[in-house]
């Protein structure tokens, strides 16, 4: 063998060894890597690369890297990326789409450098690839969600805004801006108090503080001043939005101009003739009820809203047209006014249209008083069809279910819901077993609740559950305790870190707290609503699983029912 042939063999062996070392480094890395030669063919790929795309190594080595790109990404790479890459020697975070073996397309970011450390391997590049498919999908979903939200908001005639707790306007829809004769960008960044008369600002500030202190919508009426100096009355429905730490992030407001209604009410007080003239031409349906809640006057707008002629409604009672689910609250509103507890009231409820379908209406009532005695003699009110607005509000509410609280809270009682409780049970049970700590569990059932509903009606039943839920919540005050509505009239309580005797003590305190509510229940031997409680506790050395732990508490609850109810039974492990 000649000396030159021997040198060539040594050089070839050295280059092969370099390729082997490069291939080994690429394979063992946990990242998605591939290396290509100057012809664009794959000479090495990482295990992570193969796992992500679903190939075996022998299926890809030697193939062009462009074969694994979508046609659009391949054209983009050839026309724009590669020329710049070979000119500069590197590229960063290029967006490509790669095709997996099973046909799936994934979004990736690719960064690459030319390896110039070994002259004999000139033209070899090393690329790092990051799968961003999930991020891109989430980003697109967020864009779609925001677009749907804005479409819903901008389609409303009501004024919609988002403001900071201090009143800085962060978003207003076009209806809001048009009301003030401005564009949205003219108002965003300004403070809503800039549009409130000076003598009304303190009251509005107090109202906003109240809104930020509760987790439900609060209504308010106040005057606003337009840029031309005109002052108008507005009605607002405001609700605070909270982050996961319970801090107020914004105040969501829906408003409408009620200046005409306020002016109408004041004129009604001055003259019956003016009242009739205004009522007959109002787009809202104006009505008057006597002391027996019989209609004595109905304005012609009833034709457009309810489909009836005025004379068909006069002499009848409005309760006959109310939806069965709404009738109790409507009746309660009328009674509270006739009994003198309130002078004004507003309510949104369903009324049957003449053609049989149900419409949502918003009604405002004012008590009429006998000028001699000062006692209530009837009710005057206005009514408008808000079915379209109600539908939009329902859609907005669904769109705003991004709030975590709505996913974890029972809508009726405000306690945790079943889903949250199940997750908390698994979490706290695992923690107790891991850290060898105690854990208390209470299963609570309202005694004879079906009889309660049959006797007093579902609205009263809901109120009963709310009050019992509040009593449970107020009795357990530690930060880690969890009170939940488990389902129907059943509640559950988790008490991390307390032993059996403490668990029993808490159960007894809750039973007594509910008893002290003295909620009338004629079907109960105690004549008031009571609860039965099954208690169980997990000790640090217990081997019981979460299902068995819950099952034993439930069995104790049934024993409490068997022993006559209104009692606490402790599970015996």
């Amino acid at each position: 063998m000649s000396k030159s042939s021997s040198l060539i063999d040594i050089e070839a062996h050295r280059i092969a060894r370099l390729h082997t070392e490069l291939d080994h480094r690429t394979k063992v890395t946990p990242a998605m890597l591939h290396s290509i030669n100057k012809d664009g063919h794959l000479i090495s790929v990482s295990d992570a690369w193969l796992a992500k795309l679903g190939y075996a190594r022998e299926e890809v080595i030697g193939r062009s890297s462009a074969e694994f790109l979508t046609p659009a990404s391949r054209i983009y790479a050839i026309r724009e990326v590669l020329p710049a890459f070979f000119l500069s020697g590197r590229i960063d975070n290029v967006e490509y789409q790669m095709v997996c073996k099973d046909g799936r397309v994934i979004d990736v970011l690719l960064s690459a450098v030319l390896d110039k450390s070994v002259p004999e391997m000139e033209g070899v590049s090393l690329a790092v690839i990051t799968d961003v498919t999930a991020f891109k999908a989430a980003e697109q979903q967020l864009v779609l969600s925001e677009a749907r939200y804005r479409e819903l908001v901008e389609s409303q005639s009501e004024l919609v805004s988002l403001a900071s707790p201090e009143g800085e306007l962060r978003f207003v829809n076009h209806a809001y801006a048009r009301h003030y004769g401005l564009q949205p960008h003219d108002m965003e960044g300004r403070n809503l108090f800039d549009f409130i008369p000076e003598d009304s600002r303190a009251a509005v500030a107090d109202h906003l503080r109240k809104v930020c202190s509760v987790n439900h919508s609060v209504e308010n009426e106040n005057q606003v001043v337009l840029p031309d100096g005109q002052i108008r009355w507005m009605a607002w429905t405001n609700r605070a939005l909270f982050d996961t730490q319970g801090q107020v992030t914004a105040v969501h407001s829906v408003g409408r101009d009620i200046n005409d209604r306020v002016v109408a009410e004041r004129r009604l007080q001055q003259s019956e003739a003016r009242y009739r003239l205004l009522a007959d031409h109002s787009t809202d349906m104006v009505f008057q009820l006597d002391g027996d809640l019989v209609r004595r006057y109905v304005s012609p707008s009833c034709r457009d809203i309810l489909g009836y002629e005025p004379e068909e409604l006069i002499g009848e009672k409005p309760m006959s047209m109310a939806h069965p689910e709404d009738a109790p609250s409507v009746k309660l509103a009328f009674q509270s006014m006739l009994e003198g507890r309130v002078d004004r009231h507003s309510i949104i409820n369903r009324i049957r249209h003449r053609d049989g379908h149900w419409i949502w209406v918003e009604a405002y009532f004012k008590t009429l008083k006998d000028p001699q005695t000062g006692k209530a003699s009837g009710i005057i009110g206005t009514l408008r069809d808000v079915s379209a607005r109600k539908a939009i509000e329902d859609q907005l509410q669904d769109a705003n279910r991004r709030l975590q609280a709505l996913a974890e809270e029972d809508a009726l009682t405000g306690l945790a819901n079943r889903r949250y409780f199940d997750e908390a049970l698994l979490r706290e049970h695992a923690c107790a077993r891991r850290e060898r700590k105690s854990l208390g569990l209470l299963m609570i059932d309202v005694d004879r609740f079906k009889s309660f509903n049959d006797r007093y009606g579902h609205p009263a039943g809901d109120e009963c559950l709310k009050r019992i839920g509040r009593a449970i919540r107020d009795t357990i005050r530690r930060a880690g305790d969890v009170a939940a509505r488990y389902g129907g009239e059943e509640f559950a309580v988790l008490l991390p870190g307390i032993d059996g005797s403490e668990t029993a003590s808490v159960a007894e305190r809750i039973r007594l707290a509910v008893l002290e509510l003295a909620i009338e229940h004629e079907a109960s031997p105690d004549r008031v609503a009571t609860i039965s409680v099954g208690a169980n506790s997990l000790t640090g050395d217990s081997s019981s699983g979460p299902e068995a732990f819950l099952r034993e508490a439930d069995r104790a609850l049934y024993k409490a029912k068997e022993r006559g109810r209104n009692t606490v039974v402790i599970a015996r492990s």
Side-chain angles (χ1 to χ4, degrees):
M1 181 181 295
S2 66
K3 182 176 180 181
S4 62
S5 296
S6 178
L7 290 174
I8 291 172
D9 290 341
I10 292 171
E11 184 66 11
H13 177 73
R14 188 170 70 84
I15 293 174
R17 179 170 52 79
L18 291 173
H19 276 289
T20 300
E21 291 177 355
L22 173 63
D23 187 50
H24 174 71
R25 291 198 302 270
T26 304
K27 288 180 182 178
V28 299
T29 179
M32 282 183 68
L33 300 180
H34 72 221
S35 183
I36 62 175
N37 60 20
K38 62 183 179 179
D39 298 318
H41 294 156
L42 292 166
I43 60 176
S44 182
V45 296
S46 69
D47 290 341
W49 192 99
L50 294 169
K52 179 64 69 173
L53 297 183
Y55 287 98
R57 184 167 274 101
E58 58 268 24
E59 293 178 294
V60 301
I61 298 300
R63 291 170 63 180
S64 170
S65 62
E67 292 180 37
F68 303 93
L69 299 178
T70 61
S73 292
R74 195 177 304 146
I75 294 172
Y76 174 58
I78 294 172
R79 291 182 178 177
E80 298 185 36
V81 178
L82 291 179
F85 172 61
F86 288 112
L87 184 65
S88 65
R90 69 177 295 135
I91 53 173
D92 295 299
N93 293 327
V94 175
E95 295 186 12
Y96 282 150
Q97 286 190 313
M98 299 186 74
V99 182
C100 300
K101 185 177 180 179
D102 61 7
R104 289 181 299 108
V105 174
I106 61 173
D107 295 288
V108 302
L109 293 179
L110 183 144
S111 299
V113 295
L114 281 173
D115 190 350
K116 299 180 180 179
S117 60
V118 181
E120 295 83 359
M121 296 178 65
E122 183 178 359
V124 172
S125 68
L126 183 64
V128 180
I129 302 166
T130 304
D131 183 359
V132 295
T133 305
F135 172 78
K136 295 279 284 187
E139 188 176 51
Q140 183 178 16
Q141 188 62 34
L142 179 61
V143 170
L144 290 174
S145 178
E146 291 290 340
R148 286 195 297 267
Y149 174 80
R150 285 186 174 270
E151 181 180 359
L152 287 170
V153 170
E154 292 297 354
S155 67
Q156 294 188 84
S157 59
E158 279 84 358
L159 282 59
V160 179
S161 70
L162 285 174
S164 71
E166 294 76 28
E168 180 185 356
L169 291 169
R170 296 174 179 170
F171 166 79
V172 299
N173 68 349
H174 282 82
Y176 195 112
R178 281 197 302 271
H179 187 266
Y180 291 89
L182 301 170
Q183 292 295 320
H185 62 80
D186 296 325
M187 302 192 73
E188 292 169 358
R190 295 183 63 178
N191 198 290
L192 63 85
F193 287 99
D194 295 344
F195 305 95
I196 304 294
E198 189 170 351
D199 58 357
S200 300
R201 291 176 183 174
V204 174
D206 287 341
H207 170 73
L208 286 181
R209 282 191 288 271
K210 179 182 178 182
V211 170
C212 293
S213 68
V214 297
N215 194 20
H216 57 76
S217 298
V218 183
E219 296 184 351
N220 187 46
E221 295 180 4
N222 62 267
Q223 290 180 311
V224 299
V225 58
L226 306 186
D228 63 2
Q230 183 183 175
I231 294 178
R232 298 188 68 84
W233 279 94
M234 300 291 296
W236 301 96
T237 300
N238 301 311
R239 179 161 186 164
L241 304 181
F242 298 84
D243 62 20
T244 55
Q245 284 74 45
Q247 299 298 312
V248 178
T249 59
V251 175
H252 181 273
S253 300
V254 178
R256 62 185 180 89
D257 189 316
I258 60 167
N259 199 70
D260 293 341
R261 192 200 80 199
V262 173
V263 171
E265 289 178 345
R266 293 180 178 178
R267 289 178 178 174
L268 286 172
Q269 296 173 358
Q270 298 172 0
S271 169
E272 177 67 16
R274 290 182 180 178
Y275 157 71
R276 286 296 179 114
L277 181 62
L278 180 63
D280 287 348
H281 291 83
S282 173
T283 56
D284 291 354
M285 188 185 99
V286 182
F287 59 92
Q288 181 180 347
L289 309 177
D290 63 18
D292 295 322
L293 299 179
V294 175
R295 296 190 191 94
R296 296 305 177 192
Y297 169 77
V298 179
S299 71
S301 296
C302 65
R303 300 187 185 102
D304 297 326
I305 297 175
L306 300 176
Y308 289 94
E309 291 297 322
E311 54 270 24
E312 294 177 311
L313 298 177
I314 293 173
E316 300 293 330
K317 292 187 176 184
M319 297 301 301
S320 62
M321 297 172 63
H323 192 282
E325 294 178 3
D326 302 335
S329 58
V330 176
K331 183 177 180 180
L332 184 62
F334 287 150
Q335 288 177 342
S336 65
M337 299 184 73
L338 293 178
E339 292 171 2
R341 294 198 296 272
V342 294
D343 289 332
R344 295 174 182 267
H345 201 85
S346 63
I347 192 170
I348 296 177
N349 63 282
R350 286 160 289 186
I351 291 181
R352 187 186 296 276
H353 192 274
R354 183 171 187 170
D355 65 12
H357 75 277
W358 296 99
I359 64 170
W360 283 96
V361 298
E362 182 177 40
Y364 288 85
F365 311 127
K366 184 180 184 300
T367 305
L368 294 176
K369 295 184 179 181
D370 188 304
Q372 303 299 323
T373 64
K375 293 183 178 180
S377 60
I379 295 172
I380 189 171
T382 60
L383 181 147
R384 65 169 52 185
D385 185 349
V386 294
S387 300
R389 191 192 83 188
K390 188 70 168 57
I392 292 174
E393 287 177 349
D394 290 343
Q395 292 172 1
L396 280 174
Q397 186 176 10
D398 290 339
N400 285 331
R401 295 199 184 279
R402 295 172 291 180
L403 298 174
Q404 189 65 26
L406 296 180
E408 300 175 346
E409 181 181 291
D410 176 62
L412 178 66
T413 64
L415 301 180
N417 60 19
R418 170 72 176 272
R419 172 185 170 188
Y420 182 85
F421 176 82
D422 289 342
E423 293 173 352
L425 175 61
L426 293 176
R427 182 178 65 250
E428 295 298 341
H429 186 277
C431 178
R433 291 283 300 277
R434 182 176 61 252
E435 300 180 11
R436 302 183 67 79
K437 292 182 178 180
S438 299
L439 175 64
L441 170 63
L442 306 179
M443 295 302 292
I444 303 168
D445 190 76
V446 181
D447 297 328
R448 299 179 177 88
F449 188 70
K450 183 179 184 302
S451 299
F452 187 96
N453 268 340
D454 292 343
R455 171 65 180 83
Y456 301 98
H458 287 283
D462 288 348
E463 184 62 26
C464 175
L465 293 178
K466 289 180 186 178
R467 294 181 66 187
I468 290 175
R470 285 195 295 268
I472 294 172
R473 182 188 60 209
D474 293 344
T475 303
I476 60 168
R477 296 184 175 276
R478 299 185 311 155
D481 295 342
V482 176
R485 186 183 179 198
Y486 197 68
E489 67 271 23
E490 193 169 3
F491 298 86
V493 176
L494 271 179
L495 303 165
I498 71 172
D499 59 20
S501 62
E502 292 174 304
T503 300
S505 176
V506 173
E508 182 62 14
R509 292 204 306 272
I510 291 175
R511 185 189 71 81
L512 291 174
V514 172
L515 194 62
E516 290 172 0
L517 292 176
I519 301 172
E520 181 184 345
H521 189 354
E522 292 182 357
S524 170
D526 300 280
R527 311 299 290 177
V528 295
T530 61
I531 60 171
S532 296
V533 186
N536 196 12
S537 61
L538 181 76
T539 59
D541 58 356
S542 174
S543 60
S544 172
E547 296 84 2
F549 181 52
L550 180 64
R551 188 166 54 249
E552 289 301 318
D554 211 39
R555 287 174 179 170
L557 171 60
Y558 278 102
K559 288 181 181 179
K561 292 286 189 181
E562 293 171 356
R563 294 180 185 178
R565 299 179 173 85
N566 189 23
T567 189
V568 175
V569 171
I570 312 299
R572 302 301 178 188
S573 302

